[in-house]
Amino acid sequence: MIKNKLNIVLVEDNKDDVFLIKRQINKIVSEPNIEVTDNLQDFRELLVNFAPDVVLSDYNLPKCTGLDIMETAKEYDSSIELIFITGTINDEELAANTILNGASGYILKKHMNILSEKLNPLLKKVVINMVSRDELRDRIRNNKITVNQIYNYLDKINSDNAEQRDNIQHIKQAITQFNLDNGDIK
């Protein structure tokens, strides 16, 4: 069993598959923190606000493809692990192309009953890579928490006049620009 806490984004549109995948993950990860989405816009927000350790994605989604998910993830963090769990990749050439384009692996949904066995070595690899990035990841998460706390504080300030409201807005813009310049938010 993997003892490390793992932040996992699951990109899946089928509710039954979400349930089954979560159940299989719980068999091999003692502390999974799983967020689910089925679209690119929410996925982008999760990359920024949730900071996943790994992305598990279906290949065929209603409004995008697994390749769109992979490209977006790699734009955000080139080292992020992405594993396809899909029924779509039956073509060996397509499967090879997903690996060549940066996927860490793929598992066919027809193996859902033994998903934990197939997923376990891939998630162990994620943990090994994660350990080397822990300090940096914690610093980024702490920075994001601090920024959110500052935003909350600014929102609570009693802004009775237009000048105070403008000053608060300028502070928020400066924080956002600082984060963009330092690569914390994309």
Side-chain angles (χ1 to χ4, degrees):
M1 169 137 317
I2 296 172
K3 301 291 184 198
N4 299 62
K5 180 178 179 183
L6 279 180
N7 281 357
I8 301 168
V9 170
L10 175 57
V11 185
E12 175 61 65
D13 61 315
N14 183 306
K15 302 279 188 234
D16 292 334
D17 287 346
V18 168
F19 174 79
L20 293 171
I21 292 169
K22 282 182 169 184
R23 194 167 96 195
Q24 293 291 318
I25 290 170
N26 281 308
K27 288 181 179 180
I28 57 175
V29 180
S30 63
E31 291 186 61
N33 190 6
I34 304 169
E35 290 290 331
V36 179
T37 185
D38 66 355
N39 65 74
L40 205 50
Q41 181 179 349
D42 290 344
F43 178 66
R44 283 187 182 106
E45 289 178 26
L46 286 170
L47 286 172
V48 172
N49 297 315
F50 181 64
D53 301 308
V54 63
V55 176
L56 306 178
S57 180
D58 192 357
Y59 189 84
N60 190 18
L61 297 157
K63 296 181 181 177
C64 63
T65 68
L67 287 178
D68 297 326
I69 295 295
M70 184 167 55
E71 287 173 11
T72 302
K74 296 298 181 182
E75 286 172 10
Y76 173 77
D77 179 355
S78 61
S79 66
I80 197 162
E81 304 282 346
L82 188 134
I83 301 165
F84 285 109
I85 301 176
T86 184
T88 302
I89 303 179
N90 292 322
D91 180 350
E92 288 179 14
E93 185 176 333
L94 183 58
N97 283 335
T98 62
I99 301 298
L100 290 173
N101 286 320
S104 304
Y106 72 94
I107 301 169
L108 295 176
K109 286 184 178 179
K110 69 180 182 180
H111 300 297
M112 195 71 82
N113 59 332
I114 57 168
L115 177 65
S116 60
E117 293 173 27
K118 297 200 171 277
L119 195 55
N120 193 32
L122 297 171
L123 290 182
K124 282 184 178 180
K125 179 183 169 198
V126 169
V127 170
I128 290 168
N129 292 336
M130 219 174 70
V131 169
S132 65
R133 297 186 318 243
D134 269 349
E135 184 179 321
L136 177 61
R137 191 182 68 187
D138 287 343
R139 203 169 84 224
I140 289 170
R141 281 192 180 138
N142 289 336
N143 286 345
K144 287 178 182 178
I145 290 168
T146 301
V147 167
N148 287 335
Q149 289 171 342
I150 291 170
Y151 277 134
N152 287 339
Y153 174 75
L154 291 173
D155 288 340
K156 290 178 184 175
I157 291 177
N158 185 6
S159 50
D160 290 335
N161 64 44
E163 183 180 353
Q164 286 177 334
R165 285 191 300 274
D166 288 344
N167 287 337
I168 290 170
Q169 191 59 34
H170 288 297
I171 292 169
K172 287 181 177 181
Q173 289 170 348
I175 292 169
T176 300
Q177 188 59 48
F178 175 80
N179 284 330
L180 288 170
D181 292 343
N182 289 295
D184 288 345
I185 299 177
K186 292 198 179 190

